[in-house]
């Protein structure tokens, strides 16, 4: 076994061991959680961010966020977003940031008016600090990270290291889920999202991070597997993540992960010459076969219920009235709130209170777009336009960034079904702004167009 393969295997086994230890001794999660932030800051400062260590550490925090929430190992519920912000600022101290990142400075400024409004508009008995922080931490995390990454040059190897740093804690999460719910047949009795198959935590957030993990290890299977051992290892990890993600019965995160894989394959196929396409054809056939086998196994384990879930049916095979488990009603309500307060919105966190006053239901928004409209008004529209078009302009400027559209896809679809509950959409969005040099990859893989 090559030295690189052995190091990679040790990393995988180490993180698998963390998942097992947390299952056996829950207090290990606390130790793990605190050590990440302490050692992460030390690592960036020691290396002085010479190779964008801030992005590697921030990525690791993003990858372990849901796992720490699931196992109660996070010092604070929103610590991942704050951690990303702090690590990125430390990185800025050593490496600076782009002076051309004006769109994201403007985006952060557009958030301020609604924050000010909320200090007056929120109900007296509401914890104002918590209500504001919960809803605004995601956008601020995105803005700060984007200021750092905007047009920052990184190599393909550095980008893959960042993605691996996100993926490794997901391995820990998968191992924990395997031991937490060893027998899927016992817990899947209907077509609703399963908390028991999600480690006792929110299936939506779990499926979101697992969908991202599936993409990361499938991309490593395609781009980073230089030996047969690496091919098998990465494929096995990716398929296990896919299986555990599907049995959460939360569709949004998994569908997003599949779309990212399709976009990556289309990009590589389009940019490759004849030799490169022949290699990709073999990989695509292998992927299709393994995906079908995994789907068949999942269907067998769930008694066919997974197919009904993705067909929007209940256990009896009847079509459900709502395709989005009632989230469309929340979105409609937020659009109505926007039309009533079109300029500055109702204020950060006030949307939930307005909805409760109208309907009597206390439920948080699942859609960051409609939340921005309701709580930030027309300024929210301007902010969303900045976020939507800036990466696309960068794509036309640098059409050889194979990950850009994948990352953009993850951000856009995730905020439509899971808002910015986690740091993942904010951080992954910021990675789409990096200027990735993939020249070495094109030379190794016979890519004639680069």
């Amino acid at each position: 076994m090559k030295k690189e393969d052995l190091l990679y295997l040790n990393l995988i086994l180490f993180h698998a061991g963390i998942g097992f230890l947390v299952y056996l001794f829950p207090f290990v999660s606390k130790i793990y959680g605190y050590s990440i932030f302490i050692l992460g800051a030390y690592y960036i400062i020691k290396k002085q961010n010479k190779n964008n260590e801030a992005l590697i550490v921030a990525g690791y925090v993003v990858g372990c966020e849901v796992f720490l929430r699931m196992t109660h190992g996070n010092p604070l519920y929103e610590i991942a977003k704050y951690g990303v912000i702090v690590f990125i600022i430390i990185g800025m101290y050593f490496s600076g940031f782009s002076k051309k990142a004006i769109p994201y400075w403007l985006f952060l400024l557009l958030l301020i008016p609604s924050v000010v409004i909320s200090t007056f508009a929120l109900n007296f008995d509401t914890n104002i600090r918590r209500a504001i922080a919960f809803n605004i931490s995601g956008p601020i995390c995105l803005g700060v990270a984007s200021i750092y990454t905007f047009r920052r040059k990184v190599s393909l190897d550095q980008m893959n290291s960042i993605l691996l740093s996100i993926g490794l804690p997901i391995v820990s999460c998968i191992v924990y889920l395997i031991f937490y719910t060893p027998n899927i047949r016992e817990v899947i009795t209907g077509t609703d999202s399963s908390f028991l198959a999600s480690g006792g935590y929110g299936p939506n957030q779990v499926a979101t991070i697992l969908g991202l993990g599936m993409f990361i290890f499938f991309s490593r299977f395609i781009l980073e597997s230089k030996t047969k051992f690496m091919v098998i290892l990465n494929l096995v990890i990716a398929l296990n993540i896919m299986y555990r993600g599907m049995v959460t019965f939360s569709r949004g995160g998994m569908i997003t992960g599949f779309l990212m894989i399709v976009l990556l394959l289309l990009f590589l196929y389009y940019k490759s010459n004849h030799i490169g396409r022949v290699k990709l054809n073999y990989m695509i056939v292998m992927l299709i076969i393994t995906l079908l086998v995994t789907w068949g196994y999942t269907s067998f384990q769930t008694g066919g219920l997974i197919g009904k879930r993705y067909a929007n049916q209940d256990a009896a095979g009847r079509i459900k009235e709502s395709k989005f488990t009632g989230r469309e009603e929340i979105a409609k309500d937020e659009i109505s709130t926007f039309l009533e307060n079109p300029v500055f919105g109702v204020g950060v966190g006030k949307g939930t209170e307005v909805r409760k006053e109208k309907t009597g239901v206390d439920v948080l928004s699942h859609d960051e777009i409609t939340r921005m409209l309701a709580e930030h008004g027309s300024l929210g529209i301007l902010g969303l336009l900045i976020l939507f078009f800036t990466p696309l302009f960068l794509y036309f400027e640098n059409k050889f960034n194979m990950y850009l559209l994948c990352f953009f896809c993850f951000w856009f679809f995730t905020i439509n079904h899971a808002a910015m509950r986690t740091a993942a959409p904010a951080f992954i969005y910021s990675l789409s702004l990096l200027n990735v040099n993939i020249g070495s990859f094109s030379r190794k893989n016979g890519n004639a167009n680069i």
Side-chain angles (χ1 to χ4, degrees):
M1 184 181 295
K2 292 184 178 181
K3 184 178 179 180
E4 295 84 355
D5 292 2
L6 183 60
L7 176 61
Y8 184 66
L9 177 61
N10 287 336
L11 282 172
I12 296 296
L13 292 176
F14 175 75
H15 284 85
I18 290 175
F20 180 61
L21 283 174
V22 170
Y23 172 75
L24 288 180
F25 311 106
F27 69 88
V28 172
S29 182
K30 288 284 185 184
I31 299 172
Y32 179 52
Y34 280 92
S35 64
I36 289 170
F37 296 96
I38 296 170
L39 295 177
Y42 173 77
Y43 178 66
I44 299 171
I45 295 171
K46 181 182 179 182
K47 296 290 185 178
Q48 296 188 346
N49 201 44
K50 292 179 180 179
N51 291 302
N52 292 300
E53 284 81 7
L55 292 178
I56 293 175
V57 175
Y60 194 89
V61 169
V62 168
C64 71
E65 178 179 16
V66 172
F67 178 53
L68 290 179
R69 286 182 177 181
M70 180 191 303
T71 57
H72 309 289
N74 48 335
L76 296 170
Y77 187 78
E78 297 289 324
I79 190 66
K81 296 172 189 174
Y82 302 143
V84 170
I85 293 170
V86 170
F87 293 141
I88 291 297
I89 290 175
I90 295 174
M92 288 180 182
Y93 173 78
F94 289 108
S95 305
F97 53 86
S98 174
K99 295 179 181 178
K100 296 181 180 179
I102 296 174
Y104 296 99
W105 285 110
L106 179 59
F107 171 74
L108 291 175
L109 289 174
L110 290 172
L111 301 175
I112 295 175
S114 291
V115 173
V116 175
I117 290 172
S118 65
T119 59
F120 301 99
L122 288 170
N123 294 339
F124 180 75
D125 57 346
T126 298
N127 187 322
I128 295 176
R129 181 189 62 80
R130 183 178 297 176
I132 294 175
F134 179 81
N135 289 282
I136 208 69
S137 56
I140 291 177
C141 179
L142 184 151
V144 172
S146 296
I147 289 171
Y148 176 82
T149 59
F150 188 76
R151 287 179 173 168
R152 181 176 291 271
K153 294 181 180 180
V154 297
S155 67
L156 181 61
D157 288 339
Q158 286 179 312
M159 174 60 81
N160 286 329
S161 294
I162 295 167
L163 289 177
L164 180 59
S165 71
I166 300 172
L168 288 173
I170 298 176
V171 172
S172 302
C173 183
I174 285 296
V175 171
Y176 178 83
L177 289 174
I178 290 171
F179 284 100
Y180 187 92
T181 317
N183 194 338
I184 292 298
R185 292 185 184 184
E186 293 181 356
V187 300
I188 301 298
T189 57
T191 59
D192 293 329
S193 297
S194 174
F195 281 80
L196 288 175
S198 305
Y201 190 64
N204 194 18
Q205 292 186 29
V206 175
T208 295
I209 201 66
L210 294 187
L212 177 60
M214 178 181 68
F215 166 77
I216 289 171
F217 284 99
F218 267 124
S219 70
R220 294 191 67 81
F221 161 73
I222 296 168
L223 302 172
E224 288 290 294
S225 298
K226 300 174 184 178
T227 63
K228 290 182 180 179
F229 172 79
M230 294 289 279
V231 168
I232 295 172
L233 180 59
N234 284 318
L235 189 58
V236 168
I237 294 173
L239 292 176
N240 271 280
I241 294 175
M242 173 186 167
Y243 169 67
R244 298 305 305 197
M246 285 196 298
V247 296
T248 65
F249 274 59
S250 185
R251 296 164 294 184
M254 299 310 296
I255 292 173
T256 300
F258 284 120
L259 287 175
M260 294 172 75
I261 293 170
V262 171
L263 284 173
L264 179 62
L265 288 172
L266 288 175
F267 178 94
L268 293 172
Y269 202 84
Y270 176 73
K271 293 294 182 181
S272 296
N273 61 15
H274 176 70
I275 297 175
R277 289 179 180 179
V278 170
K279 293 179 181 178
L280 279 173
N281 285 336
Y282 283 115
M283 285 193 169
I284 291 171
V285 170
M286 187 185 298
L287 276 174
I288 292 174
I289 293 173
T290 52
L291 289 175
L292 289 175
V293 170
T294 305
W295 174 266
Y297 178 74
T298 307
S299 182
F300 173 73
Q301 287 292 95
T302 60
L305 290 176
I306 189 66
K308 293 180 179 180
R309 172 60 172 170
Y310 278 81
N312 195 45
Q313 299 174 352
D314 61 17
R318 296 168 297 198
I319 300 294
K320 294 182 180 180
E321 293 183 7
S322 171
K323 292 183 178 180
F324 305 104
T325 59
R327 292 171 188 166
E328 64 270 35
E329 295 301 323
I330 301 174
K332 290 178 182 178
D333 178 73
E334 288 178 323
I335 292 173
S336 174
T337 301
F338 163 70
L339 294 175
E340 295 170 4
N341 305 270
V343 182
F344 296 111
V346 295
V348 176
K350 184 64 178 177
T352 303
E353 293 184 351
V354 171
R355 184 159 47 255
K356 185 176 181 180
E357 292 169 2
K358 286 182 178 180
T359 65
V361 179
D362 187 10
V363 59
L364 299 172
S365 175
H366 285 78
D367 192 321
E368 189 69 13
I369 293 177
T370 55
R371 188 200 69 79
M372 287 280 287
L373 292 179
E375 298 185 0
H376 296 268
S378 58
L379 300 184
I381 294 177
L382 290 175
L384 289 170
L385 289 175
I386 290 172
L387 299 185
F388 188 84
F389 285 107
T390 305
L392 299 182
F393 286 139
L394 291 181
Y395 178 72
F396 289 113
E397 178 183 292
N398 179 16
K399 292 184 179 180
F400 303 127
N401 184 348
M402 69 179 75
Y403 290 122
L404 191 153
L405 293 180
C406 301
F407 295 157
F408 181 80
C409 166
F410 177 83
W411 166 77
F412 181 75
F413 285 102
T414 299
I415 67 170
N416 273 279
H417 73 82
M420 284 195 176
R421 302 286 178 81
T422 65
F427 183 72
I428 296 300
Y429 174 92
S430 72
L431 297 183
S432 71
L433 307 177
L434 291 168
N435 187 348
V436 184
N437 178 9
I438 61 174
S440 59
F441 171 78
S442 64
R443 289 191 293 272
K444 287 187 291 185
N445 291 272
N447 194 319
N449 294 323
I450 298 180

